[in-house]
Amino acid sequence: MSINIHCLNNISSVGLGLLPDNYNTDAALEEANAILVRSAKMHDMELADSVLAIARAGAGVNNIPLDRFAEEGVVVFNTPGANANAVKEEVVAAMLMASRDYIGGNEWVKANAEDPDIAKSVEKAKKQFGGTEIYGKKLGVIGLGAIGRLVANAAVELGMDVYGYDPYLSVSAAWDISRKVNHIADVNEIFKECDFIILVDEEELLKAIDAGKVKKYVTDFANPTVVNKDNIIILPHLGASTEEAEDNCAIMAVNEIRDFIENGNIVNSVNY
């Protein structure tokens, strides 16, 4: 039996290559049995009766109308954890950017690129870009899911004093966390004690920056609340933008589709 797959976005060939010959990945949307998607908006999309499942190659599913598709009998999958390492690495980079003014220093070099004595000038200018090290600093991780666990463990290896808060932490997840991570029962302890905190309320954060309580905020989500604000570093949603993460998400999404269509198994569904 031939299975028609429609890709709403470019999906890594590493994942698509796992499908056997009876899967057609060039199918039109109107004849699809399953859909693979990354960021395409599906809220205004009408599905053919032939569609059985949708797999989002990523964790977030705000581009998919979950309830409506559930009512139509369409199972929606996501790929939790597949891009966790990529996001972990960006979080580590964010802490370094917040501590050391690499961005300001780079902008200074570009602005003074025509200076023939730039090698000498930089020695005078670099004082304004000084910072602090993250070694020995306290990190509060709010939420110890797939990403939070990796961040906590990486921070321990970097010599940070790590505090983790997660009232819903499972026993199996706890086994993946370094013994050096301090378990916190009251999240307010993190706000009181930590030099770095991972998780914010942006409206409150802006007040804290204005009051001088917070030095820097690094976010991966550009939005009107934070753009053009002082002491905020904004990245254009690059957390999972690595070749490896895209491959991992595609592999996981393809396997979920196959397992459902061939065996009837529902794993990592967000609406069933």
Side-chain angles (χ1 to χ4, degrees):
M1 181 180 70
S2 177
I3 305 297
N4 291 322
I5 305 292
H6 180 77
C7 299
L8 285 174
N9 300 104
N10 291 327
I11 302 297
S12 167
S13 59
V14 174
L16 295 179
L18 297 176
L19 293 169
D21 293 339
N22 64 317
Y23 281 76
N24 171 28
T25 58
D26 295 319
L29 180 62
E30 296 76 21
E31 59 185 14
N33 301 118
I35 296 172
L36 290 168
V37 61
R38 289 173 60 195
S39 59
K41 305 297 183 184
M42 302 188 69
H43 288 279
D44 297 327
M45 190 174 295
E46 296 297 329
L47 303 181
D49 292 339
S50 58
V51 176
L52 303 173
I54 297 168
R56 156 83 163 99
V61 289
N62 59 345
N63 58 321
I64 304 172
L66 302 180
D67 292 342
R68 177 162 67 85
F69 286 167
E71 293 173 359
E72 296 174 6
V74 177
V75 182
V76 179
F77 300 93
N78 71 341
T79 57
N83 57 19
N85 185 72
V87 179
K88 174 208 75 177
E89 291 185 1
E90 184 177 75
V91 171
V92 173
M95 289 193 291
L96 293 171
M97 286 189 290
S99 301
R100 312 276 293 275
D101 193 5
Y102 293 117
I103 293 177
N106 179 253
E107 292 298 324
W108 182 93
V109 172
K110 289 193 294 184
N112 293 271
E114 303 302 320
D115 181 0
D117 295 320
I118 190 169
K120 183 181 294 184
S121 300
V122 76
E123 292 304 318
K124 296 180 180 178
K126 69 180 184 181
K127 294 180 181 179
Q128 62 185 299
F129 307 114
T132 60
E133 299 178 14
I134 65 174
Y135 182 88
K137 301 300 189 299
K138 295 180 179 180
L139 167 66
V141 181
I142 301 175
L144 293 165
I147 296 169
R149 295 197 296 273
L150 292 181
V151 170
N153 292 343
V156 166
E157 294 301 317
L158 289 170
M160 301 186 78
D161 190 8
V162 183
Y163 297 79
Y165 172 80
D166 192 334
Y168 308 106
L169 184 67
S170 67
V171 173
S172 60
W175 281 103
D176 294 331
I177 301 173
S178 168
R179 294 182 180 179
K180 295 182 179 180
V181 174
N182 301 288
H183 176 255
I184 299 299
D186 182 358
V187 71
N188 290 304
E189 290 186 46
I190 285 179
F191 302 137
K192 293 176 182 178
E193 301 293 335
C194 291
D195 303 295
F196 296 84
I197 298 173
I198 299 173
L199 185 82
V200 297
D201 176 327
E202 286 191 335
E203 295 290 347
E204 294 301 316
L205 183 81
L206 291 178
K207 296 177 184 177
I209 290 176
D210 291 340
K213 294 181 179 180
V214 172
K215 182 179 180 181
K216 290 283 186 181
Y217 171 44
V218 185
T219 177
D220 201 26
F221 299 96
N223 64 75
T225 302
V226 296
V227 293
N228 293 324
K229 301 289 186 181
D230 292 335
N231 299 313
I232 298 180
I233 299 171
I234 306 171
L235 304 176
H237 207 186
L238 300 179
S241 295
T242 67
E243 294 179 8
E244 295 86 350
E246 291 182 6
D247 289 348
N248 291 339
C249 287
I251 290 169
M252 192 170 181
V254 164
N255 286 334
E256 289 166 348
I257 290 291
R258 282 196 67 185
D259 196 22
F260 175 65
I261 290 178
E262 297 175 16
N263 306 311
N265 294 328
I266 297 178
V267 180
N268 294 325
S269 171
V270 289
N271 71 337
Y272 268 87

